Amino acid sequence: MPDFILNTDDNVYIPAEDSYLLAENLEIKEGQSVLEIGTGSGIVAMYASRLTDRITVTDINFDACELARKNFEANNIENIEILFGNLFEPVKNRKFDVILFNTPYLPTEEGDVIDSNLNYAFDGGLDGRKVIDLFLNEVGNHLNDGGIVQMIQSSFSDNDLTLSRLDELGFIAEIKAKEHFFFEDITLINAYKI
């Protein structure tokens, strides 16, 4: 995969194995519209920009929006719209062909929460599903028929529950790829809207 110039910021998630698991398995066709929730540094969107020129990214962390803008400029990428806000708030009434999300999937207790915007990147609440469930509740409203959702989560945040929720919502969902680390599997779930 082509390398990019990548600036980082202490308040923004630094791309790790989960970011690249998503970036290396993108299912995007030329001309499709793409929404990435929680773009962080913008690395996944930069890979997506090689496949289509209709990309919108959102992040609840303003520092991430600024960092992504800086990274897109550093790599001469001009086809990505950056919107600040939580989940689907910035794209009300819009639909996309592909929706990407490296979810904040870590189960966190009160003592795990950090006082920084970086907290948004990993804080999944007590069961790791706080943001995942909010995302699943809305994702169908923003996906075109025949579209795909590609999301990263962890075995710590109950992959089976995500798969069954997607099934209930009318998607065909599968674990497309996974990587094992210490005590957990990081998984890429692909869900197709029929």
Side-chain angles (χ1 to χ4, degrees):
M1 301 194 96
D3 290 325
F4 293 102
I5 298 164
L6 191 67
N7 299 290
T8 58
D9 179 312
D10 289 343
N11 289 323
V12 181
Y13 185 69
I14 294 171
E17 293 85 354
D18 50 3
S19 315
Y20 292 104
L21 184 63
L22 181 53
E24 290 165 8
N25 288 283
L26 294 172
E27 291 199 15
I28 300 168
K29 297 182 182 74
E30 195 177 337
Q32 284 188 315
S33 58
V34 176
L35 170 66
E36 184 191 12
I37 302 279
T39 194
S41 67
I43 189 69
V44 172
M46 292 194 283
Y47 282 106
S49 75
R50 304 241 188 241
L51 306 171
T52 187
D53 57 5
R54 296 170 58 207
I55 301 171
T56 300
V57 299
T58 70
D59 208 296
I60 192 174
N61 176 352
F62 189 74
D63 296 327
C65 293
E66 290 302 302
L67 180 62
R69 179 174 286 111
K70 197 161 132 185
N71 281 326
F72 300 157
E73 284 170 6
N75 291 282
N76 299 312
I77 298 169
E78 296 168 359
N79 61 346
I80 301 177
E81 173 188 30
I82 304 168
L83 300 172
F84 169 63
N86 189 20
L87 294 171
F88 297 101
E89 279 171 6
V91 292
K92 285 187 183 89
N93 307 319
R94 289 175 61 187
K95 289 189 170 197
F96 300 86
D97 299 314
V98 180
I99 297 178
L100 309 171
F101 191 18
N102 183 359
T103 68
Y105 52 71
L106 285 182
T108 46
E109 295 183 15
E110 213 170 298
D112 301 324
V113 174
I114 56 172
D115 185 24
S116 150
N117 280 340
L118 182 60
N119 192 66
Y120 291 123
F122 67 83
D123 184 353
L126 285 175
D127 59 359
R129 299 195 58 85
K130 179 174 74 175
V131 181
I132 292 171
D133 288 332
L134 292 171
F135 172 77
L136 292 175
N137 289 342
E138 283 191 71
V139 70
N141 302 330
H142 296 278
L143 191 66
N144 289 323
D145 290 342
I148 181 175
V149 177
Q150 295 191 275
M151 59 185 285
I152 296 284
Q153 71 169 70
S154 153
S155 51
F156 286 150
S157 47
D158 198 340
N159 291 314
D160 289 339
L161 184 55
T162 298
L163 292 170
S164 69
R165 284 282 295 123
L166 284 162
D167 188 50
E168 286 164 21
L169 293 165
F171 288 87
I172 293 179
E174 64 179 353
I175 292 178
K176 182 70 178 176
K178 67 179 168 187
E179 284 187 35
H180 184 71
F181 299 97
F182 306 110
F183 305 108
E184 67 176 328
D185 289 326
I186 302 296
T187 53
L188 168 64
I189 295 174
N190 280 3
Y192 304 88
K193 186 175 180 183
I194 20 176

